[in-house]
Amino acid sequence: MSEHSLFEDAIKQLDQAGELAKVDPEVLARLRHPKAIMQVSIPVRMDDGTLQVFEGYRVQHDSTRGPTKGGIRYHPDVSLDEVKALAFWMTCKCAVVDIPYGGAKGGIIVNPKDLSRMELEKLSRGFVDRMADFIGPDTDIPAPDVYTNAMIMGWMMNEYSNIQRKSTPAVITGKPIALGGSLGRDDATGRGAYYCIKELERKRKWEPTQITVAVQGFGNAGQHVARLLHADGYRIVAVSDSRGAIYREEGFDIPSLIKFKNESRQLKAVYCEGSVCELVESQNITNEALLELDVDLLIPAALENQITLDNAKDIKAQVIVEVANGPVSSDANKVLIEKHKLIVPDILANAGGVTVSYFEWVQNRAGFYWTVDEVHHRLQAIMSRSFGEVYDIMDEHLTDMRTAAYTLAIKRIGDAISAGGTRQYFNGDQK
Ligand code: GLU
C-alpha cells in the first residue's frame, strides 16, 4: 500500500461529493484528518514458549456526531493507512444511516488462522489492555470486522470489564448473545445489503428468478446476503472464498454451500439433504474471473481494492452492491460510472452491521433486550429509508449513488460541526 494510499483514495471520494454538497470547506478540511491514532505492540507468549510481538492500531476518525464506532480487523495485510481509510468510511457510514456515532477502526497485523485459540485469546485481551484508556461506551466502541467474531468480542468485553472492575457490555458490540449481544447482529451486514437490494428490486421491477448474482467472499457478510437472496429465488451462479471461486449456470443451493463451508472450512459445489452432501457439477474459476462474469448483480463481499483500473473495463454486471468496504478504487469507480453501472456504495450497502451494533449498544445501556423480529423490523426501516434518501439525492442531482451517499453524509456531519458555532462567532453572528 505504500505507493498507493487507500486513505488518499478514500478522501478523493469525499472531495468529489464536497463540490456537490456545497458544504463549508472547513468541514471537508476537518474530515481529511483523523482525530486520533493509536499504535500499540502486543507481546504474546505463544504455545511453544516463544514470545511474539504483534502490531495493532486504532484510528478514531471523527466524533462530532457521537462516540466513534467501528470494527477491529485481524489480517496479515493490515496497515495504518488501511485502518485510516476504514475509520473514515465508518464516519460517513454512520452519518448515511443517521445513527449517533462518529467513525473509528482498529486492526492487528496477524493471520488469525495461524494462531491457536489460546494464542488468539491472549492477543485479543492484550489489545484491549493497550487500548483500555482510549475505548469506552461513551468514547469509542469496537466491533467485529474481517476475521474477527463474536467470541473475540466476548473476550475483549470481559477484559475491559476486568480493567474497569465493573461489567461494561456497551464497550463493544457483536458479542455472543450470552454476554449481552443482540439477536440479529450475526447476519446484520448481509441483511442490510439484502434490504437495499429489495428496494432496488422494487425500483427496477426485477423478477428475482430472472436475476443472476455473483458473490465474491463467503464470510459472514457474503454468506448471509447470498442466503437471503437465494431464499427469494435469485440465482446465485458464483461464489468465492480466499482460495478461489465456483461457478454454475443453474445456480447453487446456498444453504448447502454454507453448511459445508462452515463444517469443513472449504467452499465446494455441493447439494445437501440432511447431513449427506453430494458434489454437483460446477466450474472452478478464479476470484478475478468471478468479478468479470456476465451476471446482473455483482456483490463484492471480501476486501478492498478488488475492482481497479486493471479490471474495471471488463466488469459486465450492470449493478454492483458493495458489501465489502472499499472494493472499488476511485479510478475504477469513474470507469464504471462512465459505463452507466449502478453502484450501491459500501457506506450504504454494508451499514446494516453497524446499525444493529447500535441496537446492541442501546439494549446494553437500557438493560432491556429486543426480539429478533424487532431488530429486523427496525433494521429494515433504517436501511429502506436511507436507501430512499440516497436514491433521491442521486436523481435530484443527476449524479451517481456513491456521490449521493457522501453528499448526504457530509451534509449531516457538516450540520453537526456548524452547530458547534465557532465560525459564526468570527463572522460577527453571535446570536
Ligand atoms: N466492521 C463493520 C463495518 O465495517 C461493523 C462495525 C460496527 O459494527 O461497529 O461496518
Side-chain angles (χ1 to χ4, degrees):
M1 271 292 119
S2 50
E3 73 289 359
H4 173 87
S5 162
L6 194 64
F7 181 64
E8 293 302 324
D9 208 45
I11 292 295
K12 274 193 204 160
Q13 301 165 341
L14 173 74
D15 288 335
Q16 275 166 19
E19 286 166 26
L20 192 73
K22 295 193 184 62
V23 292
D24 188 335
E26 285 190 3
V27 170
L28 301 182
R30 285 268 292 265
L31 295 178
R32 271 188 208 111
H33 306 277
K35 177 184 170 190
I37 296 177
M38 274 74 68
Q39 177 174 343
V40 295
S41 58
I42 311 140
V44 174
R45 178 72 56 202
M46 306 299 279
D47 293 349
D48 64 3
T50 59
L51 185 82
Q52 217 166 304
V53 183
F54 295 89
E55 191 160 299
Y57 311 98
R58 183 85 182 158
V59 173
Q60 295 170 350
H61 175 262
D62 181 77
S63 60
T64 316
R65 300 182 71 257
T68 53
K69 183 87 190 80
I72 298 173
R73 166 175 301 202
Y74 287 1
H75 197 278
D77 297 336
V78 160
S79 68
L80 180 56
D81 177 65
E82 179 195 49
V83 178
K84 277 164 69 180
L86 291 162
F88 162 73
W89 284 323
M90 287 307 304
T91 300
C92 299
K93 193 184 299 185
C94 293
V96 168
V97 287
D98 207 7
I99 56 178
Y101 290 137
K105 202 77 167 204
I108 301 180
I109 306 172
V110 59
N111 186 353
K113 292 174 188 165
D114 294 342
L115 265 55
S116 71
R117 188 176 283 204
M118 187 78 94
E119 291 166 342
L120 201 60
E121 179 173 353
K122 287 183 191 167
L123 177 67
S124 305
R125 288 183 183 274
F127 184 70
V128 171
D129 180 62
R130 293 292 193 254
M131 290 292 170
D133 290 331
F134 305 108
I135 60 173
D138 295 311
T139 46
D140 181 15
I141 306 131
D145 195 72
V146 172
Y147 291 166
T148 52
N149 56 21
M151 181 174 67
I152 294 174
M153 299 305 114
W155 292 329
M156 290 186 166
M157 187 278 275
N158 179 260
E159 188 66 24
Y160 185 83
S161 297
N162 290 345
I163 292 168
Q164 301 297 328
R165 306 211 68 73
K166 61 181 177 199
S167 166
T168 318
V171 68
I172 204 159
T173 58
K175 300 178 293 291
I177 305 295
L179 293 175
S182 175
L183 294 171
R185 177 63 185 86
D186 49 355
D187 73 356
T189 307
R191 183 175 287 274
Y194 164 76
Y195 289 143
C196 286
I197 296 167
K198 296 305 275 183
E199 292 301 313
L200 216 50
E201 180 185 302
R202 259 186 288 279
K203 295 223 180 264
R204 301 216 153 183
K205 306 203 173 14
W206 279 347
E207 168 46 47
T209 54
Q210 304 299 311
I211 303 291
T212 53
V213 187
V215 183
Q216 187 204 32
F218 211 54
N220 180 270
Q223 283 187 10
H224 289 299
V225 70
R227 172 178 62 81
L228 292 163
L229 290 174
H230 172 264
D232 280 2
Y234 283 81
R235 189 144 54 95
I236 321 290
V237 296
V239 296
S240 71
D241 66 7
S242 58
R243 279 166 292 196
I246 46 178
Y247 171 77
R248 177 178 158 87
E249 207 194 321
E250 302 80 14
F252 288 109
D253 181 60
I254 297 298
S256 298
L257 263 54
I258 293 178
K259 178 181 148 63
F260 195 82
K261 165 97 185 167
N262 293 346
E263 281 169 11
S264 70
R265 289 182 162 224
Q266 276 180 321
L267 183 61
K268 278 228 172 104
V270 287
Y271 181 75
C272 308
E273 292 250 9
S275 58
V276 186
C277 296
E278 268 176 35
L279 278 176
V280 295
E281 214 172 296
S282 75
Q283 239 175 292
N284 287 328
I285 59 172
T286 61
N287 253 297
E288 293 75 36
L290 176 143
L291 296 172
E292 294 170 16
L293 285 172
D294 191 5
V295 289
D296 299 300
L297 180 57
L298 174 64
I299 305 183
L303 290 168
E304 58 268 6
N305 257 330
Q306 299 301 300
I307 303 178
T308 63
L309 266 193
D310 294 340
N311 59 354
K313 58 182 185 322
D314 301 317
I315 303 297
K316 296 174 196 69
Q318 215 30 59
V319 178
I320 300 167
V321 177
E322 295 183 337
V323 171
N325 287 308
V328 176
S329 75
S330 64
D331 292 342
N333 189 60
K334 275 195 208 113
V335 176
L336 296 173
I337 298 299
E338 275 161 20
K339 290 176 72 183
H340 305 290
K341 310 283 188 199
L342 181 80
I343 307 175
V344 185
D346 46 6
I347 57 170
L348 168 66
N350 72 26
V354 72
T355 300
V356 178
S357 275
Y358 165 56
F359 298 163
E360 181 173 330
W361 178 80
V362 167
Q363 292 170 73
N364 291 153
R365 293 169 74 104
F368 178 78
Y369 288 83
W370 308 353
T371 63
V372 73
D373 285 346
E374 200 166 351
V375 169
H376 289 170
H377 183 73
R378 287 181 190 265
L379 175 63
Q380 178 162 27
I382 289 183
M383 294 308 301
S384 303
R385 182 197 69 213
S386 307
F387 184 96
E389 284 173 332
V390 171
Y391 207 90
D392 289 349
I393 295 175
M394 173 176 79
D395 277 351
E396 190 189 321
H397 292 275
L398 300 174
T399 185
D400 58 281
M401 235 178 148
R402 187 187 314 280
T403 309
Y406 277 101
T407 304
L408 179 62
I410 55 185
K411 162 98 184 47
R412 287 194 173 133
I413 301 164
D415 285 351
I417 291 177
S418 304
T422 52
R423 174 83 173 262
Q424 286 96 310
Y425 186 83
F426 287 99
N427 286 348
D429 177 7
Q430 294 177 32
K431 283 194 281 295

